[in-house]
Amino acid sequence: MSWQKWISALLLVPVVGYVVLCLGVYLWGAGALPADRQPNTGALPPSMRVQFQAIHGVHSDGAVRLHPLTVPWYFFRQSAGTDELRLPAWAGRTLLQRSDRPVGGTRRVAADIAATIFVSRAWSIDEQVNTVLNEGFYGRGAHGLPAAAKAWYGQSPETLWPEEFLALQVLDRGPSFYDPVCYPKRFEERFRFVSAHLNIPDIDAALARARERLRAHPSACNSASAPATTLLPFPVSNQAA
């Protein structure tokens, strides 16, 4: 074999290894995805999707279609501060929560990657946002925005004020850590931080309005059954991180 062929063969080895590794991780993770992979179609006011996108820095024209061979590049870009994977990663984790058997260990990482790739290709941005809102956990045993609106405010999503919706988005980041009844200071600091980066003109008024109809359940603060703190492993957005 000539030296040119040897060099070509040596250059081909890492390329083949990269392809095999990426496809292997994807297929291993995809095997752990739940059978139900349809986006949540629960009705929500369109204004809430718009507000969600503003809060979390999601742009309607910023959809990405990931592939097992290209997703490492997007992870690299995200570590450099870009937001392209934020929504599909969040929607992918929401999809994985439907699994009857929780996935742990290294396979959980592979399943997260596979779910992120899947939703980026199969779901539109509106479907990803709708699924996150309708299946996210907001504390007080409330999964999904309709249940959260009822549990925290005694309202339906259609009758929530924008400030109340913003408060629920603070809770969605960590429902026990930012509980406005049990930890009002933490909640207020986070609410003010997000509000400032959303350019809300009167943050004091917005905070007061978010608390006005809040249903207080102080007994839950000392409940041993209260859910553990769960913070998202990424900032909410570059604007509201």
Side-chain angles (χ1 to χ4, degrees):
M1 181 182 293
S2 66
W3 65 271
Q4 293 96 336
K5 291 182 179 179
W6 275 109
I7 292 176
S8 298
L10 289 175
L11 292 176
L12 190 60
V13 168
V15 174
V16 172
Y18 174 81
V19 171
V20 170
L21 177 62
C22 290
L23 292 178
V25 169
Y26 173 73
L27 292 173
W28 188 38
L33 298 184
D36 178 10
R37 302 179 189 180
Q38 296 300 311
N40 193 302
T41 57
L44 290 174
S47 60
M48 288 197 167
R49 286 198 296 270
V50 173
Q51 190 178 358
F52 174 93
Q53 291 182 221
I55 292 170
H56 298 288
V58 175
H59 303 288
S60 296
D61 58 352
V64 295
R65 287 176 61 84
L66 302 172
H67 187 277
L69 301 184
T70 62
V71 72
W73 166 247
Y74 283 96
F75 279 117
F76 173 77
R77 283 171 57 84
Q78 186 180 38
S79 67
T82 63
D83 297 335
E84 296 144 310
L85 292 187
R86 177 162 288 113
L87 179 59
W90 197 350
R93 280 191 294 274
T94 303
L95 172 63
L96 283 178
Q97 290 173 0
R98 299 176 182 175
S99 299
D100 294 331
R101 298 178 181 177
V103 182
T106 305
R107 195 175 190 187
R108 173 67 192 212
V109 177
D112 279 338
I113 294 172
T116 300
I117 294 171
F118 173 80
V119 300
S120 76
R121 300 182 67 84
W123 298 356
S124 68
I125 284 185
D126 280 349
E127 289 172 334
Q128 293 177 49
V129 171
N130 216 50
T131 300
V132 169
L133 287 175
N134 275 308
E135 298 184 20
F137 180 64
Y138 295 85
R140 293 189 177 178
H143 289 270
L145 189 60
K150 186 69 174 178
W152 288 96
Y153 289 103
Q155 303 292 321
S156 66
E158 292 76 14
T159 58
L160 279 180
W161 297 336
E163 296 85 358
E164 293 170 340
F165 180 80
L166 176 55
L168 291 179
Q169 292 310 297
V170 171
L171 284 170
D172 192 42
R173 179 166 168 80
S176 60
F177 189 84
Y178 291 111
D179 188 309
V181 176
C182 302
Y183 304 104
K185 186 65 175 177
R186 292 178 188 172
F187 172 81
E188 178 177 337
E189 288 177 352
R190 182 67 190 174
F191 188 95
R192 288 182 177 278
F193 185 83
V194 177
S195 298
H197 287 278
L198 289 176
N199 298 316
I200 292 177
D202 191 341
I203 297 178
D204 288 334
L207 180 61
R209 194 163 170 83
R211 286 172 164 166
E212 184 176 332
R213 299 195 296 181
L214 185 68
R215 302 175 71 184
H217 294 291
S219 61
C221 300
N222 298 318
S223 173
S225 61
T229 298
T230 54
L231 292 178
L232 295 178
F234 51 79
V236 170
S237 74
N238 279 350
Q239 291 183 321

